[in-house]
Amino acid sequence: MRWNILLCVAIEPRGVPNSSTVSGSASQSHTRILALDPIVVDQIAAGEVVERPANVVKELVENAIDAGATRIEVLLREGGARRIEVRDNGQGILVEDLPLAVRSHATSKLREPGDLEAVASLGFRGEALASIASVSRLEIISLPSGQKDAASLLVDFGKVEVPRVAAGSLGTRIVVDDLFAQLPARLKFLKRASTELAHCTAWLERLALAHEGIGFRLEHDGRQLLEIAADADLDARCAAVYGPGLAGRMLPIERETGPLGLQGRIGPPESARRDARRVDLFLNGRWVRDPRLLRAVREGVREFVPTGHYPTLCLQLAIAPDRVDVNVHPQKTEVRFRDERLVFGAVLRALQEALADSRWSTRSIGPIGRSGAFSTPTTTDSSPGSGAWSSSSGTSSRDFRSWDSTGGGDVAAAGDGGKGEMQESRLPLASSAETRVVGPVLAVANTFLVREVEGGMEILDQHALHERVNLEELRRELQQGQVVAQPLLVPSLVDVGRAELNLLMRRQKVFSQLGVEIEAFGENTVAIRTVPARLTRLVPEKLVRDLLAIAEENKQATPDRIAEEMLHSMACRGAVMAGDRLDAEALQGLLERGADLPQDRTCAHGRPVRVFLTIEDLEKAFYRRM
Amino acid sequence: MKFLIDRLAFRDALQRVEMAIDRKPTRPVLGGVLIEAHNDSVVLMASDLDIAVRYRVQQVQVDQPGWAVIPGRELVDIVKDLEAETVTVNLKGGDQCELMAGEDVCDLVTMETGMDLSNTPEAFPAVPMLEGGPDLTVAKNDFLMMVGATRFATSRVQDNRFATEGVLLELRDDTVTLVGTDGRRLACIHRPAISHKADRHRSVLLPKVLDQILRYGQDEDGEEMAIHFLGNLVGFRVGNLESFGRVLDREYPNYDNVIPKDGKHSVRAHRESLAKKLRLASHLTTDAAAVVRLEVSPDRMEVRSEHEGRGRASAALEVDYVGDGLSAAFNPAFLLDGLKASHTDQIELQMEDGNRPAKFTLGDGFHYVVMPLSTTG
């Protein structure tokens, strides 16, 4: 779409005179092939780099960072569509270099082809300024140290004027006015000022997170939106970006793996949300949105955050520039690693380690939110057995909310201040080991187990708990090489395709480590000799389907990875379901096993295992305490 | 239809058909009980298409024959809570059936009614009549014991290939055999037939009908269980009770091949002491993947278990064994299931080695095969 429009502009006769004289004999009905006017070329190129004001902010601020600035100010008007002004105190541009700066593929950051192999600066393509200059009214005022006066260069939608002497302080000030004003097709695609501002803010926040040692300030229509001092550390930067409440609960990530260094902060599970907007990944200071890295994030948090959710995460990856190719995408948000597996694995483990050490009280639900997990519309009939709950919770719906998956997502979407996380619980941190069980257990709807614990009450999800119990026990057995297998009286035969059989047989060894011994039986049948002893309700055919799905989705994966996938699948398959009736003994057994767990907050899919209500919560629900 | 019936007899009869009342009926009529008032008796019927029960009550005085289908659960509950000694059941005009007991009156909305007993209900599923002589008769106590000896080993989940959620009923060479298996263990018991028409027969029954017979068959008069093979149903009659079970049409594993003929090692043990030691040891196993190890040396068996982080157990008992020792790991629940179903004081364990199937002989013609556990790594 965009291309077509721009090409239409290109074949208007404005750049034609030279070629028309040479080819006078050509038929008039032919559409001639012509070289494009350089300004049009830049405008087309701008389509790749500059889509909206936020891209301009990003490019200009990155230039400022590359110029060694320690303080960068961004001033916007009307979401950046009217004016974007970026001031820095960097090294500045020499007056004689000014015209070159706005020429495409002119850059100070690469010198020879070899430099591309190890790009250390944020920019390098030499496109940004030229692109911006071609679609806006751009002014550069720069004063490099050692030069007497500041110089100013004006570019009016691609037309470069002569540098003039101007008033300016040390560093560079770039003003971009009326972005896309002469390109109605592009202008049409700009959203409301508030939306464009949000995008600009997001970019500045990302850059601020990645660059300690640089101060950032953002002002919009005269109002200051962000202020980060140059000496602010990562925690202070997280507080400015994610909000102090969440930042205070974020956990540090610190890991060195060979050539790769990782550091950052990760937010608690209750701050998880359905989109990845709060996942900020930085590669050597550059914000990236790489699908493979995002996948590593999802895998790393899968046991802590509900399936399909992303944590609040700020993670900086440092790797030697020659081990990564950033020249994949014009906006440089995708990258290619020399050793993808190493990076993937390191990210995954770093997140797992950070979360495993955590002691969050995800079990607690704070007196927060609007409608919540406990809210039952008082007007509708409640099902039998839930009557007591709904009547008491009808009034409390404003006060309670569990951080369950839907709740978390909704709040994230509707959250105040755009911070998108759930509000902080006021409860002290607690782990299961610190909680003393007081009362008997009540099973509600054969799904939820309710019991009194010290300081309040606890509601457990029997399936989630059992799944987690299974997962931890299985994992321990696997680590000890002691998985108990139950041989079958007669090997169970399951028909599969020939290709599927090959896929299964390739993974024969890792399957057998988890108690599943398979053999090929003819060309398209697999014989199962043993099944894991704990999966007493397992149907061999279903097991084979599960294994196939795992093998299919992880064709290139290591055996460890396959084993991990199997653990999750088996833990879930072997667990009691919601609605399964458990007798008192089974209940007690399950709770006892649950008490021994190293991690008991979430099930293997990241859904919560338990929700905790303090006496105070209950008092509030009944208006005994306001 | 109008009759007077002894309340306790009515209650007991309803209890017997209760299991066949569909709790979540796909068609409303499956949640009903069909009451037929004949001249000398009242017959109750219920069917959820997996199981059907017909029960005849003689302690009645029928004023007017006829039939009606009445909501089953309500009828069962009401008759349970009535207090008088007799209940009058009267089909009034419209679609009301009145139950009257002393001062208490309940009107139940009927689902289908008829005055003429030769006009059978349309929507209510037909329950076959057991006419002519049975295809097979077995001593009632034998049969009930056989059900108890095999039912527990059936699979709790449905397998697409084998009908292991059912119990195999087989007639061959004057012998009746029942088999239950879940692929991990197998229970098989033989008893002689008293009489049989066919020489061979094989069907796999949904266990529900066997559960119903096991629960109520003992109370019925008569020493024989009459069995009728009715195509996709098998009918059982004892006393006034007729129960019908659906037959599963999937294959059943070839159990003969699974039962080892004999083994190198033969251990005889006292059932109750082995069960005690197993229970003791099973306290120190992890719940989900419970393992006990049986270590057999001459005249001694040790039952060992270990729960990481909790402790370990070792319990010993005297056994009859001659040989160079045997060691095998089992799921204690599987062994205890078998011992509970056993009807003998001395049981025998035969095994080729610790990795081959173990054959327990738990009574006359009662074999129980359990696959020992193995550990990876």
Side-chain angles (χ1 to χ4, degrees), chain A residues 74-76 197 217-226:
Chain A
V74 179
L75 297 90
L76 303 175
L197 172 65
R217 198 173 87 85
L218 173 66
E219 198 183 291
H220 182 250
D221 290 341
R223 205 159 64 89
Q224 176 169 307
L225 298 180
L226 186 75

Side-chain angles (χ1 to χ4, degrees), chain A residues 509-559:
Chain A
K509 198 169 156 216
V510 57
F511 290 164
S512 80
Q513 283 171 357
L514 274 152
V516 184
E517 272 182 41
I518 57 166
E519 272 172 21
F521 189 84
E523 288 190 341
N524 47 15
T525 304
V526 62
I528 304 162
R529 307 195 67 86
T530 73
V531 295
R534 68 176 57 237
L535 303 189
T536 50
R537 296 174 63 89
L538 190 96
V539 179
E541 189 157 353
K542 281 203 184 119
L543 175 70
V544 168
R545 299 284 154 228
D546 286 353
L547 294 181
L548 261 177
I550 290 168
E552 186 77 42
E553 280 166 25
N554 301 278
K555 275 192 177 141
Q556 307 301 326
T558 57

Side-chain angles (χ1 to χ4, degrees), chain A residues 74-270:
Chain A
V74 179
L75 297 90
L76 303 175
R77 275 168 56 191
E78 295 179 24
R82 177 68 53 218
R83 167 171 284 198
I84 301 165
E85 183 174 342
V86 176
R87 300 176 187 161
D88 71 56
N89 60 353
Q91 63 184 28
I93 306 168
L94 291 171
V95 61
E96 52 268 37
D97 284 352
L98 276 177
L100 262 180
V102 294
R103 272 221 347 238
S104 53
H105 306 301
T107 181
S108 60
K109 299 166 188 177
L110 292 182
R111 285 282 173 262
E112 48 195 87
D115 290 354
L116 202 54
E117 299 293 306
V119 176
S121 55
L122 292 174
F124 57 85
R125 294 166 67 109
E127 283 179 331
L129 262 185
S131 297
I132 297 167
S134 69
V135 292
S136 69
R137 198 167 288 117
L138 177 123
E139 187 181 11
I140 309 177
I141 304 119
S142 192
L143 177 61
S145 59
Q147 190 173 298
K148 210 169 125 249
D149 293 310
S152 145
L153 179 75
L154 232 131
V155 189
D156 190 8
F157 287 91
K159 276 182 236 123
V160 184
E161 295 180 4
V162 184
R164 293 181 285 112
V165 174
S169 52
L170 211 61
T172 305
R173 184 159 76 95
I174 298 186
V175 183
V176 177
D177 278 335
D178 300 329
L179 188 67
F180 299 144
Q182 290 188 4
L183 295 148
R186 307 295 300 279
L187 204 55
K188 206 168 71 183
F189 283 98
L190 289 188
K191 301 276 189 299
R192 281 178 308 168
S194 58
T195 311
E196 295 302 336
L197 172 65
H199 285 283
C200 294
T201 313
W203 266 113
L204 198 67
E205 286 174 349
R206 290 164 186 163
L207 290 162
L209 283 173
H211 295 279
E212 282 184 53
I214 302 179
F216 290 87
R217 198 173 87 85
L218 173 66
E219 198 183 291
H220 182 250
D221 290 341
R223 205 159 64 89
Q224 176 169 307
L225 298 180
L226 186 75
E227 164 82 70
I228 293 173
D231 58 357
D233 61 6
L234 186 57
D235 286 323
R237 283 166 196 265
C238 283
V241 171
Y242 303 127
L246 175 56
R249 287 176 298 143
M250 289 179 95
L251 287 174
I253 300 170
E254 203 77 71
R255 192 182 168 91
E256 292 280 336
T257 312
L260 181 71
L262 294 171
Q263 72 146 336
R265 300 285 184 274
I266 183 163
E270 57 265 39

Side-chain angles (χ1 to χ4, degrees), chain A residues 346-598:
Chain A
V347 169
L348 193 136
R349 267 184 293 279
L351 298 185
Q352 281 174 343
E353 277 168 16
L355 290 167
D357 292 344
S358 67
R359 295 209 114 203
W360 292 314
S361 173
T362 55
R363 313 151 49 201
S364 63
I365 64 172
I368 47 174
R370 282 169 282 271
S371 67
F374 275 83
S375 71
T376 309
T378 40
T379 47
T380 56
D381 287 343
S382 48
S383 57
S386 66
W389 280 111
S390 49
S391 61
S392 66
S393 59
T395 54
S396 69
S397 60
R398 295 178 302 122
D399 301 327
F400 287 116
R401 173 183 279 282
S402 97
W403 67 273
D404 72 342
S405 52
T406 43
D410 293 344
V411 171
D416 337 58
K419 290 304 173 204
E421 98 255 24
M422 304 218 23
Q423 288 182 40
E424 188 178 9
S425 153
R426 293 182 292 101
L427 299 169
L429 303 187
S431 79
S432 62
E434 295 158 5
T435 317
R436 202 167 60 82
V437 178
V438 185
V441 184
L442 168 73
V444 178
N446 288 328
T447 301
F448 302 105
L449 314 179
V450 182
R451 62 178 178 181
E452 185 178 359
V453 293
E454 206 166 68
M457 59 181 275
E458 179 177 66
I459 307 167
L460 300 103
D461 177 319
Q462 65 181 34
H463 173 74
L465 176 63
H466 198 189
E467 192 176 321
R468 169 56 68 180
V469 165
N470 281 345
L471 183 70
E472 297 295 338
E473 289 179 356
L474 269 168
R475 190 177 281 154
R476 198 176 60 215
E477 284 180 10
L478 178 69
Q479 280 160 359
Q480 294 167 343
Q482 287 277 307
V483 175
V484 183
Q486 169 72 66
L488 298 176
L489 284 165
V490 184
S492 196
L493 303 179
V494 178
D495 292 334
V496 291
R498 192 182 298 220
E500 290 177 321
L501 181 64
N502 285 336
L503 199 59
L504 287 175
M505 295 316 292
R506 269 184 51 206
R507 300 297 189 179
Q508 195 177 17
K509 198 169 156 216
V510 57
F511 290 164
S512 80
Q513 283 171 357
L514 274 152
V516 184
E517 272 182 41
I518 57 166
E519 272 172 21
F521 189 84
E523 288 190 341
N524 47 15
T525 304
V526 62
I528 304 162
R529 307 195 67 86
T530 73
V531 295
R534 68 176 57 237
L535 303 189
T536 50
R537 296 174 63 89
L538 190 96
V539 179
E541 189 157 353
K542 281 203 184 119
L543 175 70
V544 168
R545 299 284 154 228
D546 286 353
L547 294 181
L548 261 177
I550 290 168
E552 186 77 42
E553 280 166 25
N554 301 278
K555 275 192 177 141
Q556 307 301 326
T558 57
D560 283 353
R561 175 103 206 96
I562 297 274
E564 187 66 20
E565 290 292 330
M566 271 180 81
L567 286 180
H568 280 91
S569 162
M570 282 161 53
C572 183
R573 287 270 182 224
V576 295
M577 290 295 152
D580 283 354
R581 194 183 180 82
L582 299 181
D583 58 33
E585 201 181 335
L587 266 181
Q588 209 52 47
L590 182 59
L591 290 170
E592 274 175 26
R593 286 161 70 196
D596 292 345
L597 293 180

